[in-house]
Amino acid sequence: MLDSVLIWADKNHRRWLEDLRHWLAIPSVSTQESHDADVAAAAEWAMFNLRGIGLTAELIPTARHPCVFATTPADLCPPQAPHILFYGHYDVQPAQIEDGWATPPFTPTVKNGDLIARGASDDKGQVHAHLAALLAWREIASELPVRLTVLLEGEEEIGSINLPTVLKQRKDELKSAQSLIISDCNQFAPGVPAITCGLRGLMYYQMDMHGPAADLHSGLFGGAVANPANALVEMLSRMHDGQGRVTVPGFYDDVAVVDETLRRQWRSLPFTDDQFAHEAGIKTPFGEAGYTTLERKWIRPTLDINGLWSGYQGPGAKTVLPARASAKLSMRLVPNQDPRKIASAFEAFIQRITPPGVTVTLTALGASSAALTPTDSPAMQAAAEALKIGFGQDPVYVREGGSIPVVGWFKEILGLDAVMLGFGLPDDHIHGPNEKLNLECYYAGIRTAAALYGILGQKLQSR
Ligand code: BES
Ligand code: MN
Ligand code: MN
């Protein structure tokens, strides 16, 4: 049966692409209120698409953007079919043509075998590969091989703030799921599919420094009034030592030590610093002494300035002593680091290094722990087999430096380990201009998803 499903999925490339283009054309930017109606429209698009597959789909309202929730009617899968949960997100990062896009970000464009649009890789295109695979099953087998629940959220890019509430509300319907499938990540390299077994967590802060009540003349007051911009950069410059290590006391206390066998396996992955430097647009990689590039990304925590502003930014000179200075900071966390502990260590450190004459306000803008998933479950084996069918290659087992906050909450609230298999490529430019999804990867993703549900239906017994 799977063979016929795969053949039909491959025959319908044009249909999948046209369908996905419609979804990508909706600018579902979750962080900007001006796009709230678009976010709602993208949710409805997904709901109707799921209904087209035969699922029972509804929107779950939240304090901000709705979740799309769909379940499989009893007559649409075998009575013994295992219960599988699929999670994805339909919201996207902001994008404007001025950011350096060659084509309008919400006018999906095919060029050199890539589909270019905001959300093409992160995450609408990857979610759509699953929707296409489900429709193929429906069309060929008239039923689905698993009892699927689909949960799509519209707030992933803003930290999934309301998702824990939804998981708790729907706990009864979700807790019987035997496996959680997520495609919101990458292959390791072109032609090297991957299963992602770990993600870093994230602690995000805005730091606002306050000095004088209003901007002052830097000649009449400079030298006699503490400058919040000077104070800010002085504090920021104290956050790393000469070895690239974060100086927040206690920052490394709980960092999990990774065993040598695993590190050796990673060193045999097809990865070079040159290729990485090329993708990043830099001359040579940088980072904490004593670790390889992959280790720096996967198992070492970081503290990075994500934004920085103060004072006069217009053309020419303006002699001003600014009243305020601000920075956005992100800390990527690794296994065993507790975001709450890191938060209090960081806040205490900031208080301690704040120079006299200025005050600081810290606003936490989201926290999530790192995630690790077991590699030996039947669902993981199913994913490996499915990737082999979809991409024609055995997958490698990797981690990622990025974060998907919900992965930790699925584990905490529902006891579910995620199986993460991504169809994107490391150079998809997610969050940046000219985000793309390679069409071969997209079609291989559809085959993989079709195979995955077929194999899960055979491998897992319903409970
Ligand atoms: N899908 C990404 C994360 C990702 C990308 C994981 C590639 C693995 C491989 C996700 O949409 C994302 O951008 N996450 C944010 C987290 C957040 C709270 C905004 C991140 O990592 O910065
Ligand atoms: Mn994503
Ligand atoms: Mn993202």
Side-chain angles (χ1 to χ4, degrees):
M1 187 62 87
L2 175 58
D3 287 339
S4 321
V5 173
L6 294 174
I7 289 167
W8 195 78
D10 273 335
K11 267 200 196 132
N12 280 274
H13 284 176
R14 189 163 309 159
R15 169 179 181 164
W16 307 136
L17 181 57
E18 281 319 302
D19 200 43
L20 171 56
R21 274 178 196 247
H22 286 114
W23 203 19
L24 289 171
I26 308 172
S28 48
V29 179
S30 48
T31 194
Q32 294 168 347
E33 271 168 38
S34 58
H35 281 297
D36 281 5
D38 299 315
V39 177
E44 274 172 26
W45 189 97
M47 178 181 76
F48 286 120
N49 193 290
L50 287 158
R51 284 183 187 165
I53 298 166
L55 299 178
T56 307
E58 59 175 317
L59 298 185
I60 303 178
T62 75
R64 189 83 201 271
H65 300 303
C67 285
V68 185
F69 189 81
T71 53
T72 309
D75 60 0
L76 204 72
C77 66
Q80 289 311 308
H83 183 193
I84 305 295
L85 176 59
F86 172 71
Y87 162 88
H89 65 93
Y90 68 82
D91 65 324
V92 299
Q93 288 277 327
Q96 284 186 304
I97 192 148
E98 302 82 59
D99 302 338
W101 286 75
T103 51
F106 298 103
T107 306
T109 309
V110 174
K111 213 158 72 188
N112 301 330
D114 290 332
L115 174 60
I116 304 164
R118 172 58 87 231
S121 178
D122 185 14
D123 181 31
K124 283 173 178 164
Q126 299 197 47
V127 170
H128 193 268
H130 286 260
L131 300 180
L134 293 168
L135 192 64
W137 268 104
R138 181 67 215 275
E139 190 69 27
I140 298 301
S142 80
E143 61 178 9
L144 302 183
V146 297
R147 181 160 72 84
L148 192 72
T149 297
V150 177
L151 175 61
L152 305 180
E153 75 159 318
E155 299 181 343
E156 198 280 341
E157 300 292 6
I158 50 173
S160 306
I161 24 191
N162 293 301
L163 201 67
T165 312
V166 173
L167 294 186
K168 284 172 198 157
Q169 274 170 5
R170 297 300 178 115
K171 196 169 172 176
D172 282 344
E173 288 155 275
L174 296 173
K175 70 173 184 231
S176 66
Q178 285 150 270
S179 183
L180 163 66
I181 307 297
I182 301 182
S183 289
D184 189 19
C185 41
N186 289 335
Q187 305 166 62
F188 186 71
V192 189
I195 293 181
T196 302
C197 309
L199 297 168
R200 285 194 290 192
L202 183 64
M203 244 339 290
Y204 203 101
Y205 275 103
Q206 177 160 331
M207 183 173 163
D208 296 298
M209 307 292 304
H210 314 265
D215 288 0
L216 297 172
H217 189 291
S218 71
L220 302 187
F221 293 92
V225 169
N227 179 333
N230 293 15
L232 177 62
V233 294
E234 181 195 320
M235 292 167 75
L236 294 174
S237 72
R238 292 178 62 177
M239 293 185 185
H240 293 89
D241 67 14
Q243 303 295 300
R245 284 172 65 94
V246 177
T247 49
V248 177
F251 193 71
Y252 294 94
D253 280 3
D254 300 327
V255 168
V257 177
V258 177
D259 69 68
E260 195 45 42
T261 330
L262 201 50
R263 292 176 75 180
R264 199 169 322 116
Q265 276 174 31
W266 292 342
R267 283 196 286 270
S268 68
L269 288 169
F271 178 90
T272 64
D273 273 2
D274 283 346
Q275 176 59 26
F276 174 77
H278 178 76
E279 271 157 24
I282 55 171
K283 286 218 175 66
T284 148
F286 158 94
E288 189 182 353
Y291 295 93
T292 65
T293 299
L294 285 180
E295 289 167 351
R296 288 169 179 168
K297 280 159 37 96
W298 292 356
I299 55 168
R300 299 303 293 168
T302 62
L303 192 168
D304 268 301
I305 300 171
N306 288 197
L308 190 58
W309 66 99
S310 177
Y312 180 64
Q313 331 239 330
K318 181 186 180 207
T319 50
V320 65
L321 196 155
R324 291 204 180 325
S326 301
K328 306 239 186 204
L329 301 174
S330 70
M331 286 173 265
R332 294 285 168 174
L333 308 180
V334 298
N336 294 354
Q337 281 184 302
D338 176 352
R340 278 160 304 208
K341 246 176 108 175
I342 295 297
S344 35
F346 177 73
E347 289 171 22
F349 178 65
I350 293 296
Q351 294 311 328
R352 190 161 65 69
I353 65 170
T354 305
V358 295
T359 56
V360 58
T361 347
L362 280 177
T363 314
L365 297 172
S368 66
S369 353
L372 270 187
T373 58
T375 52
D376 52 3
S377 64
M380 277 287 191
Q381 281 159 27
E385 286 171 37
L387 283 164
K388 171 92 195 192
I389 292 171
F391 286 81
Q393 293 290 328
D394 285 318
V396 293
Y397 293 79
V398 301
R399 296 195 191 178
E400 253 301 346
S403 309
I404 307 176
V406 299
V407 171
W409 300 332
F410 276 120
K411 180 75 183 171
E412 267 167 49
I413 300 169
L414 300 168
L416 274 175
D417 285 308
V419 173
M420 293 184 275
L421 66 172
F423 311 138
L425 284 171
D427 69 350
D428 278 350
H429 305 296
I430 64 170
H431 294 203
N434 305 311
E435 176 178 347
K436 55 97 174 154
L437 178 65
N438 177 268
L439 288 176
E440 285 311 317
C441 297
Y442 171 52
Y443 301 137
I446 297 174
R447 285 193 296 273
T448 302
L452 177 63
Y453 295 119
I455 298 168
L456 285 171
Q458 285 176 348
K459 244 193 174 107
L460 296 189
Q461 298 289 309
S462 92
R463 12 169 227 222

